Amino acid sequence: MAVISVIGTGYVGLVTGTCLSDMGNQVTCIDIVEEKIEKLNNGILPIYEPGLEEMVERNVAAGRLHFTTSYAEGLKNAEFIFIAVNTPPSSVAGGADMRFVESAARMIAEELDHYAIIINKSTVPVGSGDIVSRIVRNNLKRPDVTFSVVSNPEFLREGDAIKDFQNPDRVVLGSSERDAAEKVARLYLPLRATIMITDIYTAEMIKYASNAFLATKISFINEIAQICERLGADVKEVANGMGYDRRIGRDFLDAGLGYGGSCFPKDVRALAHMADEAGLHPQMLHAVMEINHDQRRLVVNKLTDILGSLRGCVIGILGLAFKPNTDDMREAPSLDIIRWVTAQGATVRAYDPVARETAVEAMKLHSISLDNVTFCETAYDVAEGSDALVLVTHWNEFKSLNMQRIRESMRRPILIDGRNMYEPSEMTNCGFIYRGMGRGSGPAPTILPPGDTTSTLPSEPALSLTEGD
Ligand code: NAD
């Protein structure tokens, strides 16, 4: 059992602290927002993450998990101090805003009275480990105290955060002190994951390079989708065909509205900024960002192509969160789409299974007038009297809607499928004017089963690829 402090109780900090306590460690989570800590101490989670509430409850009850706003209390006897605070985009040129990491480092220094390993889990620009070391050293209340700094970037996905923490593809640790990195590695040993120890700059870079690569895959398939749409091919089948190639893989090849959320947008921007600052010209990263932005515009273009002017139209929005299984609205495509359609004179009816409250906050933050938005209780309510429906977030519950009922309740049967969730032919047969993202309308594809070497297709297709293949 180790004594651990986790600074920051957001998506990463709360999941990390809770999972580490679930592994038998003694964990105290610290946050500066009193309301969050008060809620947590009353069993209310400040975020939505499947499975987390039960896990928090279990570990609090077992006396292994505590929450506080006090660094003095939270750092007591801590052998490991994880920094998991936010690193939002800075207002200047797209770099990372390091204010929260810097203040966490200062506050650690002001209370630390024993040796500890400070582990940076926040996504931070290359070289930030040195900055954290310097801030802690310069602000130590007891200058005789020693400490080590380790970089441990986090790769979990919101919505699958617990599973990802417990079954990571790899744990990356970077430090100039091998001993310290090995001590942190021991914390992760029960997970039986691949653990990679590098220098600190490399560990920090692995996080940015990984996110930038995944964002690139998304923008790549979105560019292909645009070409498919123009030339009559179906990008979903193109992605399947590509994905069977093990060198490519099928993950992150879903064409649609592009990436959003708290990580990809800011991390690609920050990496491009780091490269720019270093005198380089990161052309591909800039293209990735531009394509991503254009995908959101495409939805509005599809609406105006069919409806002409949007003035007076009611646009139904299915899903607000940036992706399913989270209430996170940071850089959610829904925000841009709502801003653009309302700017053209439309009103919006919207529904999300969990993100209503966070959506209201995000709209206020982005100066989107709530007067033009009606929040509904179900997808069916959204459809009622709408001129068009836009599927923005591919929540599971939207997969099996009664589309006949939806169509009959709409003023005009227009469906823009921003996530390619539905089959174009089924939607057309149901009476919708359907537009996906890069989907043609060719015959259903067929493939031979593995090992079949016959050169012609059987009269009955051996296997029909359908949604979800
Ligand atoms: P978040 O905004 O959800 O949570 C950050 C928390 O830190 C907030 O509760 C905030 O009040 C708290 N905080 C800020 N300054 C503090 C301080 N000085 N002391 C104590 N608490 C403080 O952020 P997040 O989504 O959990 O992300 C944290 C970091 O992890 C970011 O760098 C992010 O890029 C990275 N990351 C996020 C994800 C993700 O899916 N959200 C995945 C991998 C990595």
Side-chain angles (χ1 to χ4, degrees):
M1 182 210 79
V3 181
I4 298 171
S5 297
V6 180
I7 318 272
T9 58
Y11 292 89
V12 169
L14 190 56
V15 169
T16 301
T18 307
C19 288
L20 285 169
S21 69
D22 206 52
M23 288 157 70
N25 299 297
Q26 193 67 36
V27 178
T28 305
C29 296
I30 305 172
D31 206 290
I32 42 171
V33 179
E34 279 180 19
E35 195 194 334
K36 281 193 182 185
I37 295 300
E38 207 178 295
K39 275 188 173 172
L40 282 163
N41 280 327
N42 287 312
I44 303 165
L45 263 55
I47 53 164
Y48 172 78
E49 182 60 45
L52 191 57
E53 197 169 336
E54 302 87 282
M55 203 187 234
V56 168
E57 202 180 296
R58 185 167 71 242
N59 287 287
V60 167
R64 286 190 297 262
L65 181 59
H66 306 270
F67 302 103
T68 180
T69 52
S70 158
Y71 272 68
E73 186 189 332
L75 297 187
K76 208 159 173 238
N77 301 326
E79 304 158 77
F80 301 95
I81 304 170
F82 283 88
I83 299 179
V85 301
N86 36 332
T87 48
S90 86
S91 44
V92 205
D97 183 345
M98 288 289 289
R99 272 177 306 156
F100 301 98
V101 172
E102 287 166 7
S103 83
R106 245 187 318 275
M107 289 161 98
I108 291 170
E110 284 163 10
E111 295 301 337
L112 197 64
D113 57 7
H114 59 279
Y115 172 81
I117 301 177
I118 299 168
I119 304 145
N120 201 354
K121 238 188 197 313
S122 296
T123 304
V124 288
V126 176
S128 299
D130 295 347
I131 297 174
V132 168
S133 288
R134 200 166 51 242
I135 292 174
V136 175
R137 200 175 319 110
N138 292 344
N139 290 278
L140 277 172
K141 76 165 178 186
R142 288 213 2 217
D144 58 315
V145 165
T146 56
F147 64 92
S148 307
V149 172
V150 173
S151 163
N152 172 212
E154 180 53 64
F155 300 95
L156 61 75
R157 296 163 300 171
E158 286 173 26
D160 290 296
I162 294 177
K163 194 174 74 190
D164 286 351
F165 185 93
Q166 293 177 332
N167 306 285
D169 289 336
R170 76 304 208 186
V171 173
V172 174
L173 300 170
S175 184
S176 53
E177 294 171 63
R178 180 91 195 177
D179 277 7
E182 283 177 0
K183 280 186 189 140
V184 181
R186 259 174 244 135
L187 276 184
Y188 284 104
L189 280 184
L191 300 181
R192 300 181 183 280
T194 300
I195 298 176
M196 180 181 172
I197 298 183
T198 71
D199 67 80
I200 199 159
Y201 297 165
T202 304
E204 289 167 342
M205 188 63 185
I206 286 171
K207 173 65 190 175
Y208 279 105
S210 301
N211 273 4
F213 183 75
L214 295 174
T216 302
K217 265 188 113 174
I218 294 171
S219 281
F220 175 84
I221 200 66
N222 279 333
E223 183 151 286
I224 295 293
Q226 291 192 36
I227 303 171
C228 283
E229 199 160 298
R230 196 53 68 85
L231 303 184
D234 181 346
V235 74
K236 205 160 174 173
E237 297 307 334
V238 170
N240 287 339
M242 290 169 65
Y244 285 119
D245 186 327
R246 276 187 288 260
R247 294 167 303 174
I248 298 174
R250 179 62 179 79
D251 289 349
F252 285 78
L253 286 181
D254 290 308
L257 284 165
Y259 58 81
S262 67
C263 292
F264 288 2
K266 79 171 172 64
D267 292 349
V268 178
R269 261 199 305 270
L271 182 56
H273 178 71
M274 274 182 259
D276 283 333
E277 292 275 285
L280 302 167
H281 177 42
Q283 301 178 57
M284 199 170 69
L285 297 178
H286 286 296
V288 166
M289 290 187 277
E290 277 174 35
I291 294 167
N292 197 58
H293 181 262
D294 287 353
Q295 288 306 113
R296 299 173 180 196
R297 274 262 170 228
L298 279 182
V299 164
V300 183
N301 295 348
K302 284 174 195 286
L303 285 171
T304 49
D305 280 352
I306 306 171
L307 287 164
S309 163
L310 298 187
R311 187 154 298 283
C313 288
V314 179
I315 307 297
I317 302 285
L318 292 182
L320 294 162
F322 88 89
K323 69 172 185 179
N325 299 324
T326 182
D327 60 351
D328 199 338
M329 284 294 297
R330 288 177 282 188
E331 308 238 12
S334 62
L335 293 171
D336 278 337
I337 294 168
I338 291 173
R339 182 189 300 106
W340 291 329
V341 299
T342 53
Q344 293 190 34
T347 54
V348 161
R349 294 173 68 76
Y351 165 69
D352 188 284
V354 302
R356 179 176 174 157
E357 273 177 43
T358 47
V360 169
E361 290 311 310
M363 286 183 203
K364 285 184 191 159
L365 193 70
H366 289 85
S367 309
I368 297 170
S369 170
L370 291 165
D371 295 346
N372 298 320
V373 182
T374 304
F375 291 96
C376 300
E377 297 302 323
T378 65
Y380 297 104
D381 288 347
V382 170
E384 199 73 44
S386 289
D387 292 285
L389 267 190
V390 183
L391 188 282
V392 177
T393 316
H394 46 303
W395 282 95
N396 248 341
E397 69 171 64
F398 298 150
K399 280 185 183 157
S400 304
L401 293 172
N402 180 339
M403 297 308 281
Q404 193 74 30
R405 178 177 159 197
I406 293 261
R407 186 185 59 71
E408 283 165 8
S409 69
M410 292 176 70
R411 200 151 63 178
R412 284 186 269 191
I414 298 165
L415 176 58
I416 312 292
D417 184 355
R419 299 292 180 182
N420 288 341
M421 187 180 238
Y422 304 110
E423 275 311 306
S425 55
E426 283 175 23
M427 293 303 114
T428 309
N429 290 342
C430 190
F432 282 105
I433 300 169
Y434 173 90
R435 298 285 184 276
M437 306 293 280
R439 306 208 64 185
S441 51
T446 52
I447 59 168
L448 296 171
D452 190 332
T453 53
T454 48
S455 54
T456 51
L457 285 173
S459 52
E460 280 298 303
L463 175 59
S464 263
L465 286 181
T466 53
E467 173 118 23
D469 279 318

